[in-house]
Amino acid sequence: MKRAFVRARRPEHKQQRREEILAAARDLAMASGVRNVSLGAVAEAVGLAKSNIMRYFGTREEIYLILATEEWHQWAEAVTARLEAAPADAARLEASSDHVVAALAETLADRPLLCDILSQTATTLEHNVSIEAARTFKRAILAVIADLGAQVARATGLTVGEGTELVSVATAFAGILYPIAHPSPTLAELYAQDPVIAATCPDFLPTLTRALKALAAGLPTLRED
């Protein structure tokens, strides 16, 4: 049952209601996947009418772009912590590159909501949003990628541009790989029935790690003299 709408007038009350809506959208996405969550479902979870939700967020997609930004920042913090924990005397480039790749891949694997959001960003979440919402999101994400790219460069023999490319590809490939490695119920049943087809379903973390290792090793070979 929806609760009677009471307009939040004080700034702290408005912020509290925004956080309630974001938390509900996050919980629903974790339970059933971003693509399956409607604005109506978010409204029902919070106990408000859909029209009241739209007093705080223009669209469902704008809600998830805000959650996406939060997830990107949390992922960046986790990667930074992993890179700062690397041995200070790491002598070999190969060892440092492997550590960076592991930091990127394993922290992505630890964040299924981020990976799910990455799989939906270009196809749905960047549609049906205002220009300002898109601008805010893009600026935040580009800043995260630039910062992590610089950190990757400092930890390896890659240039800043190459480090930035490695970070960008890590998130792009995670978004592509995640839904393949986490199949729908129909495909999961098919895989259970047919081991030959099931063998083509990739494991998320090993596949992502292998791809990033190959990219990290290959980028320096493509430098122009």
Side-chain angles (χ1 to χ4, degrees), residues 93 157-159 162 214-224:
L93 173 60
L158 299 177
T159 66
E162 291 164 351
L215 180 60
L219 280 171
T221 70
L222 300 177
R223 294 172 185 165
E224 297 181 1

Side-chain angles (χ1 to χ4, degrees), residues 111-193:
R111 286 164 174 76
L113 178 57
L114 174 58
C115 292
D116 188 14
I117 287 173
L118 290 171
S119 75
Q120 298 293 315
T121 300
T123 56
T124 60
L125 299 184
E126 291 179 343
H127 301 255
N128 194 31
V129 296
S130 68
I131 291 178
E132 191 54 39
R135 179 184 292 112
T136 299
F137 170 70
K138 285 295 190 181
R139 284 179 172 174
I141 301 319
L142 290 173
V144 169
I145 292 174
D147 179 64
L148 287 181
Q151 292 187 52
V152 167
R154 289 194 295 270
T156 65
L158 299 177
T159 66
V160 171
E162 291 164 351
T164 301
E165 185 172 351
L166 184 63
V167 173
S168 297
V169 170
T171 54
F173 191 42
I176 295 170
L177 181 61
Y178 183 80
I180 301 172
H182 298 81
S184 67
T186 299
L187 282 181
E189 184 176 350
L190 172 62
Y191 293 158
Q193 296 174 4

Side-chain angles (χ1 to χ4, degrees), residues 6 18 44 98 107 110 139 178 197 200:
V6 178
R18 283 175 59 86
E44 183 176 357
D98 285 351
T107 52
D110 287 342
R139 284 179 172 174
Y178 183 80
I197 297 178
T200 66

